[in-house]
Amino acid sequence: MDSRRTDALVAAAALAAITGGTYANLSWTGPLERPLDPTGLTLIVVASLALAFRRTAPLAAGMVAAAAGVVYYALHYPGVFTSAPALASIYTLAALGRRKAAIWLSLALATGTYGLMAIAEDDPPPGSWMGLLSGWLVAMVVIGELTGHRRAYLRAVEQRAEEAERTREEAALRRAGEERLWIAQELHDSLTHSISVVNVQVAVAMQLLERDPARVRESLAAIKESGHEAMRELRATLGVLRQSEPEEAGLSGLPRLVSRAEGAGLRVAHTVAGTPYALPPQVDRAAYRIAQEALTNVLRHAGAATVTVAVEYDPSKVVLRVENDGEAGTAGPGMGLIGMRERAVAIGGSLTAGPHENGGFAVRAELPVRVPA
């Protein structure tokens, strides 16, 4: 609607300018000019009002304006301004990328106008403005082409800028999602394990409160240690959010994890195969968290059990196995296995979990040494 309103205003302005310039004798076509009458004014009105459709129907508007201009000159009305609407339509066609249509309309206007001059009895007198028409036709096509290319370039720049901004927003949202997932995994793995140990020790303490106070003291000490461990894990996670260096959880902390599980009543066998070597931080942390979550699941779902935690170092990968002889299949729905699998897959590894062949439950994670980019 804005473009149509603008074109209507342009048409009205052109009508006023052409009429005023013609009556003021600002241009001259030769000694055979006749006075401007209602027919000439009608031709000027038609040519000018065609500009109201120069963007909605540029070729049709240009053909109407060109035809009105040629008839105007054939009837020897004064002035050359009546061709201005046709020139504007030629410029619009070229600016819109319709080069062929602009050239054909230019040829039509030039052929009609100069054809009239060719069949006239006298040559155009010196000083006639009609000789400038060809130059204006070429200028309109060239200027329209340049304008169209500039607009296309600006649109391409704007699109690239919008695409870059959209890409930045998508990347920021993706990073935020990854950070939320990481925080959820860290809090789940660390706090769930500590709380599970605390629950087991509280249950033991309640059972032995009257019969064996010494064992109650041991349970309370284990609860205290679990609380300290939970606080340490929570500080490490919050440290990442504050952009400080957190304490990295890795396989070097596995003996402490095993000791806590034993304090909670599990019988744990910890074995290492191969020659240990420094793992990438992502792999080291993922292996620790998977072992932590697997032990937590044993505490929560398998009852008193014997657990084997085995780490096998290979040149291309590290294999972690956590197996127990407790009751398999008693766990309710939860995020433990999903979280472990997400950790493994995130660094290009894999994780399988299911009933063990000798009874109980087994978790096996294969984590590559080289993390994909």
Side-chain angles (χ1 to χ4, degrees):
M1 293 300 295
D2 290 338
S3 62
R4 290 182 180 180
R5 188 179 298 110
T6 301
D7 289 343
L9 292 175
V10 169
L15 176 60
I18 293 172
T19 304
T22 302
Y23 274 114
N25 295 320
L26 297 181
S27 64
W28 183 62
T29 58
L32 298 179
E33 287 183 348
R34 58 187 291 185
L36 191 61
D37 56 22
T39 301
L41 283 174
T42 301
L43 292 173
I44 291 176
V45 171
V46 170
S48 300
L49 295 185
L51 289 176
F53 305 96
R54 70 185 185 95
R55 277 187 281 191
T56 56
L59 182 57
M63 293 174 64
V64 170
V70 171
V71 173
Y72 183 91
Y73 298 136
L75 297 177
H76 298 289
Y77 285 112
V80 298
F81 298 126
T82 310
S83 62
L87 293 174
S89 298
I90 292 170
Y91 162 82
T92 302
L93 286 168
L96 293 175
R98 302 176 62 177
R99 180 190 303 171
K100 291 183 178 180
I103 293 175
W104 280 112
L105 185 59
S106 300
L107 292 175
L109 180 59
T111 301
T113 303
Y114 288 115
L116 292 173
M117 295 171 61
I119 64 176
E121 296 180 358
D122 300 324
D123 293 334
S128 172
W129 285 42
M130 299 302 294
L132 302 177
L133 181 61
S134 58
W136 280 107
L137 290 173
V138 174
M140 290 300 101
V141 174
V142 172
I143 295 174
E145 282 280 314
L146 294 176
T147 302
H149 289 311
R150 181 175 180 275
R151 289 174 179 172
Y153 170 75
L154 292 177
R155 282 195 299 269
V157 170
E158 290 176 357
Q159 289 175 355
R160 287 196 295 269
E162 291 174 358
E163 181 65 25
E165 182 65 24
R166 184 164 54 251
T167 302
R168 283 195 294 269
E169 291 177 357
E170 292 174 353
L173 290 174
R174 185 173 62 254
R175 287 195 299 270
E178 292 172 351
E179 290 173 358
R180 286 195 296 269
L181 178 59
W182 180 85
I183 294 170
Q185 288 176 332
E186 290 294 305
L187 293 177
H188 175 273
D189 293 347
S190 59
L191 297 183
T192 301
H193 177 77
S194 299
I195 292 171
S196 296
V197 172
V198 169
N199 286 338
V200 171
Q201 294 293 349
V202 168
V204 172
M206 291 178 65
Q207 292 177 0
L208 301 176
L209 184 60
E210 299 294 338
R211 292 180 297 167
D212 194 347
R215 287 287 303 280
V216 173
R217 184 181 297 275
E218 293 177 2
S219 296
L220 293 176
I223 292 172
K224 181 180 179 181
E225 175 62 25
S226 297
H228 284 307
E229 183 70 14
M231 290 299 297
R232 187 188 68 81
E233 296 280 0
L234 188 57
R235 288 195 193 98
T237 303
L238 295 177
V240 174
L241 299 180
R242 297 189 184 101
Q243 302 299 320
S244 63
E245 292 295 328
E247 296 182 52
E248 290 293 340
L251 290 180
S252 61
L254 198 54
R256 184 176 66 253
L257 198 63
V258 169
S259 176
R260 292 178 60 202
E262 290 176 334
L266 297 179
R267 296 180 298 277
V268 185
H270 178 209
T271 63
V272 177
T275 303
Y277 53 85
L279 297 172
Q282 304 99 309
V283 178
D284 203 20
R285 190 178 193 89
Y288 177 86
R289 291 305 190 195
I290 290 172
Q292 185 182 50
E293 179 61 25
L295 288 173
T296 301
N297 288 343
V298 175
L299 281 169
R300 295 176 62 190
H301 307 299
T306 299
V307 186
T308 299
V309 179
V311 181
E312 179 183 344
Y313 288 89
D314 185 85
S316 61
K317 63 184 178 181
V318 60
V319 179
L320 172 68
R321 290 183 296 108
V322 181
E323 303 168 352
N324 71 83
D325 60 359
E327 298 181 12
T330 60
M335 297 298 294
L337 290 177
I338 295 176
M340 287 190 287
R341 187 167 288 111
E342 285 177 346
R343 285 187 179 275
V345 172
I347 58 175
S350 62
L351 184 139
T352 57
H356 192 257
E357 57 184 3
N358 297 325
F361 201 80
V363 173
R364 175 185 173 88
E366 293 189 6
L367 310 177
V369 174
R370 293 190 176 182
V371 180

